[in-house]
């Protein structure tokens, strides 16, 4: 699954955009839904509390109108009949209610009740609050609700399980008596502030989110597969110009892309073949006149003129060979294969040590690499031979990590000034002969090396070596 989360890939970016979009839509829709549901809940509570105020006002008026000696008789009869919508008692003092956590819904219900009772009964002292069933006390002796006979309040309070807040209203009556009215609202659960993310909503949201993500991942993979095929074909074309063309099928956009890619690869093959034929023809055509001029130069009487002519012809012949070598230096028709870089470097060192008698030191380990064998060998041989040509000692260091192989080729020669390090990669560029004890060279070695390394997806860097000379660093990716 790691490949899905790489932000550097198109598939990874699609996944990230999809996740952000789905999460944003879920949060927005859930927020709107919760807000609308909460608003409807408050509207229902508002209507209910206003109707409750009217009923409660009628109950207060009724008990206030009863003579004092009849009030307890009526209350006893109501309790024996199973209670009414309200649990009513007349006490000789006001019962203190334990403070409970409020909330917008409870505050609105209490305010509506107060406004309704004032409107129906006039301005008078009243206490409105909510109590938990376990904390509610009734009667003068403040008996807990749980100790009352269940039939006394089964309609008004004793709803099982008894866990909803109970509304309590207390008003003073004549003679220092207090009217105690309690009831549980039909929508008692609405009095609790709604949690923004309840368990059932969270489950539904997660289920929807996972379903959308699964379908989107499948759709993204199906949609981006043609791009992966195109990328593989492009890499294959870089390694082998004779790779088969892409299949021109699928949606119209994919067919058009495949057709354009196939035309491009065909043009590249044609241009490379034309370039090789052109340089081969130029090389062949120039060898004949150079050979004729060399023969005529040998017939000159003046030795000074003869040597000058021969030097010019040698330089021309070297330039022609260098140009041809630059074309053949990167053989695009060569197939990439697994190469033991350690064995390749050691083989080049043995060949050069025998012919040049040079001092070459090797350390480190590189392992295997998928590359074009002849092209890579030519690149490394050019760079190592360059070091031998301009220095006394060459030091080669091999390194490997999880992503690339790094090859450092350093020497103790005169080096290259920093201002000239980019310029020497241009074809036929040579620095002053004074930097070396030798002469010669066509100025193509570093140019060819850069072309070969670039074709393998790597890079070449020039810097000063630890010995004060030139250090050439090749960085080659393990997967290209």
């Amino acid at each position: 699954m790691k490949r899905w989360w790489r932000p550097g890939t198109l598939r990874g970016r699609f996944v990230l955009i999809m996740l952000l979009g789905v999460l944003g839509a879920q949060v927005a829709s859930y927020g709107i839904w919760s807000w609308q549901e909460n608003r409807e809940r408050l509207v229902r509570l508002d209507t209910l509390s206003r109707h409750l105020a009217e009923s409660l006002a009628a109950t207060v008026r009724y008990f206030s109108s009863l003579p004092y000696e009849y009030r307890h008789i009526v209350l006893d009869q109501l309790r024996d009949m199973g209670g009414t919508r309200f649990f009513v008692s007349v006490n000789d003092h006001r019962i203190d209610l334990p403070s409970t956590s409020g909330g917008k819904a409870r505050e609105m219900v209490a305010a509506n009740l107060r406004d309704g009772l004032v409107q129906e009964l006039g301005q008078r002292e009243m206490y409105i609050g909510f109590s938990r069933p376990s904390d509610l006390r009734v009667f003068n002796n403040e008996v807990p609700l749980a100790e009352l006979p269940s039939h006394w309040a089964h309609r008004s309070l004793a709803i099982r399980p008894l866990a909803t807040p109970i509304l309590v209203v207390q008003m003073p009556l004549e003679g220092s008596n207090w009217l105690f009215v309690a009831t549980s609202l039909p929508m008692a659960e609405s009095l609790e502030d709604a949690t923004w993310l309840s368990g059932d909503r969270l489950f539904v949201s997660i289920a929807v989110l996972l379903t959308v993500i699964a379908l989107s991942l499948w759709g993204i993979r199906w949609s981006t597969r043609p791009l992966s095929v195109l990328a593989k074909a492009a890499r294959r074309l870089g390694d082998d110009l004779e790779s088969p063309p892409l299949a021109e099928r699928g949606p119209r956009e994919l067919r058009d892309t495949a057709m354009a890619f196939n035309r491009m690869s065909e043009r590249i093959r044609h241009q490379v073949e034309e370039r090789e034929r052109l340089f081969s023809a130029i090389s062949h055509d120039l060898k004949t006149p150079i050979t004729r001029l060399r023969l005529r130069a040998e017939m000159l009487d003046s030795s000074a003129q003869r040597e000058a002519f021969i030097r010019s012809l040698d330089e021309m012949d070297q330039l022609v060979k260098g140009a041809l070598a630059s074309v053949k230096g990167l053989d695009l028709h060569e197939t990439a294969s697994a190469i033991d870089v350690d064995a390749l470097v050691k083989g080049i060192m043995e060949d050069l040590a025998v012919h040049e008698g040079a001092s070459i030191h090797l350390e480190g380990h590189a392992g295997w690499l998928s590359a074009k064998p002849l092209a890579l060998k030519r690149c490394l041989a050019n760079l190592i031979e360059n070091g031998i040509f301009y220095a006394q000692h060459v030091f080669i260091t091999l390194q490997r990590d999880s992503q690339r192989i790094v090859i450092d080729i350093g020497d103790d020669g005169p080096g290259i000034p920093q201002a000239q390090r980019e310029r020497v990669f241009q074809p036929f560029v040579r620095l002053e002969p004074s930097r070396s004890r030798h002469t010669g060279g066509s100025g193509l070695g570093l140019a060819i090396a850069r072309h070969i390394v670039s074709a393998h997806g790597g890079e070449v860097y020039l810097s000063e070596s630890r010995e004060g000379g030139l250090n050439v660093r090749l960085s080659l990716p393990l997967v290209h």
Side-chain angles (χ1 to χ4, degrees):
M1 288 295 294
K2 185 178 179 180
R3 66 179 184 273
W4 291 102
W5 305 103
R6 292 178 182 172
T9 63
L10 184 60
R11 182 178 295 176
R13 293 180 181 179
F14 277 159
V15 171
L16 183 60
I17 293 173
M18 178 272 300
L19 287 177
L20 293 177
V22 172
L23 286 175
Q26 283 283 94
V27 170
S29 61
Y30 188 80
I32 294 173
W33 175 42
S34 299
W35 172 80
Q36 185 175 3
E37 185 183 38
N38 184 60
R39 186 183 65 174
E40 293 176 354
R41 178 178 66 92
L42 293 178
V43 169
R44 291 194 299 269
L45 277 176
D46 181 73
T47 304
L48 175 65
S49 60
R50 294 183 186 279
H51 290 313
L52 183 63
E54 296 175 359
S55 300
L56 187 58
T59 301
V60 172
R61 279 196 297 266
Y62 172 72
F63 278 94
S64 297
S65 64
L66 287 175
Y68 176 78
E69 59 273 12
Y70 287 101
R71 290 174 182 171
H72 292 286
I73 298 174
V74 173
L75 289 175
D76 291 339
Q77 290 177 347
L78 288 176
R79 293 178 190 131
D80 290 338
M81 289 188 300
T84 62
R85 180 175 182 180
F86 302 110
F87 177 86
V88 184
S89 68
V90 177
N91 304 322
D92 57 10
H93 67 281
R94 183 174 64 85
I95 299 176
D96 292 330
L97 299 177
S99 60
T100 59
S101 58
K104 187 176 181 180
R106 295 188 187 186
E107 292 175 359
M108 183 191 68
V109 170
N112 286 347
L113 280 177
R114 185 176 302 276
D115 293 342
L117 291 174
V118 169
Q119 183 177 357
E120 294 288 338
L121 304 176
Q123 191 70 35
R124 63 169 61 189
E125 183 182 5
M126 65 183 69
Y127 293 88
I128 301 174
F130 291 88
S131 174
R132 289 185 293 267
S134 58
D135 298 331
L136 184 62
R137 299 291 188 270
V138 296
F139 300 139
N140 293 325
N141 56 356
E142 299 189 11
V143 179
L145 176 64
E147 297 181 6
L148 291 180
S150 60
H151 71 278
W152 278 20
H154 76 276
R155 290 184 59 190
S156 56
L157 302 179
I159 301 175
R160 304 297 180 183
L162 196 56
T164 59
I166 294 176
L167 173 65
V168 178
V169 179
Q170 299 184 78
M171 293 183 182
L173 298 175
E174 70 280 358
S176 70
N177 290 322
W178 285 82
L179 181 65
F180 179 97
V181 182
T183 185
S184 59
L185 300 181
M187 298 168 53
E189 67 280 355
S190 301
L191 291 173
E192 303 294 343
D193 287 339
T195 57
W196 194 82
L197 197 62
S198 59
D200 54 346
R201 294 178 181 177
L202 180 62
F203 173 77
V204 172
S205 298
I206 292 177
V208 172
L209 181 63
L210 292 179
T211 302
V212 172
I213 288 176
L215 293 176
S216 300
L217 290 178
W218 176 83
I220 289 172
R221 183 178 181 182
W222 178 74
S223 301
T224 57
R225 179 180 290 274
L227 297 177
S228 300
V229 174
L230 181 62
K232 291 179 181 178
R235 288 194 295 268
R236 193 165 56 244
L237 179 65
D239 296 333
D240 182 13
L241 279 178
E242 300 301 327
S243 58
L246 281 175
E248 299 175 1
R249 62 172 181 266
R252 181 171 57 85
E253 294 82 1
L254 180 58
R255 293 197 306 270
D256 294 342
T257 303
M259 292 172 60
F261 180 84
N262 290 336
R263 287 196 300 269
M264 178 194 68
S265 59
E266 183 63 30
R267 287 196 299 269
I268 291 175
R269 281 192 290 268
H270 178 71
Q271 290 174 1
V272 170
E273 292 171 357
E274 285 296 320
R275 187 188 67 169
E276 292 180 354
R277 284 196 294 266
L278 175 62
F279 274 86
S280 297
I282 292 174
S283 176
H284 180 270
D285 291 344
L286 287 178
K287 284 180 180 179
T288 301
I290 289 175
T291 302
R292 287 200 302 265
L293 290 173
R294 190 184 300 277
L295 291 174
R296 292 179 182 178
E298 294 290 344
M299 298 173 63
L300 293 175
D301 295 333
S302 173
S303 60
Q305 290 184 353
R306 183 169 59 251
E307 291 176 0
F309 266 97
I310 291 176
R311 281 198 303 270
S312 298
L313 291 172
D314 287 340
E315 184 176 357
M316 184 181 297
D317 185 56
Q318 189 176 17
L319 289 174
V320 172
K321 290 179 180 178
L324 189 60
S326 68
V327 176
K328 294 184 177 180
L330 181 58
D331 187 1
L332 295 176
H333 299 288
E334 187 181 2
T335 302
S337 60
I339 302 173
D340 186 351
V341 179
D342 298 330
L344 178 63
V345 173
K346 289 177 182 178
I348 295 173
M349 288 172 55
E350 292 173 359
D351 293 341
L352 294 178
V354 171
H355 294 91
E356 304 290 342
S359 173
I360 308 176
H361 306 275
L362 174 64
E363 65 179 30
H365 168 72
W368 291 82
L369 174 70
S370 177
K372 300 177 181 179
L374 295 179
L376 185 59
K377 182 176 181 180
R378 179 177 177 82
C379 170
L380 295 175
N382 278 352
L383 296 176
I384 298 174
E385 192 172 7
N386 241 20
I388 296 173
F389 191 75
Y390 292 112
Q392 294 288 343
H393 303 280
V394 176
F395 306 91
I396 304 174
T397 304
L398 305 178
Q399 303 177 59
R400 181 189 184 96
D401 58 26
S402 60
Q403 296 182 344
R404 60 186 62 249
I405 286 176
V406 177
I407 304 174
D408 286 300
I409 303 173
D411 59 52
D412 58 356
I416 297 177
Q418 185 173 359
Q420 301 287 339
R421 287 175 187 168
E422 185 62 30
R423 180 170 170 263
V424 295
F425 284 111
Q426 300 176 10
F428 302 107
V429 171
R430 292 172 54 201
L431 299 182
E432 294 297 329
S434 58
R435 71 183 286 269
S436 170
R437 67 183 186 277
H438 302 288
T439 59
S442 60
L444 289 168
L446 287 175
I448 293 175
R450 170 174 276 188
H451 289 162
I452 294 174
V453 173
S454 298
H456 287 84
E459 296 180 350
V460 180
Y461 308 95
L462 298 184
S463 61
E464 184 177 344
S465 67
R466 293 176 295 180
E467 294 75 21
L470 178 67
N471 184 80
V472 183
R473 167 167 289 191
L474 280 67
S475 178
L476 298 167
L478 294 178
V479 179
H480 173 56

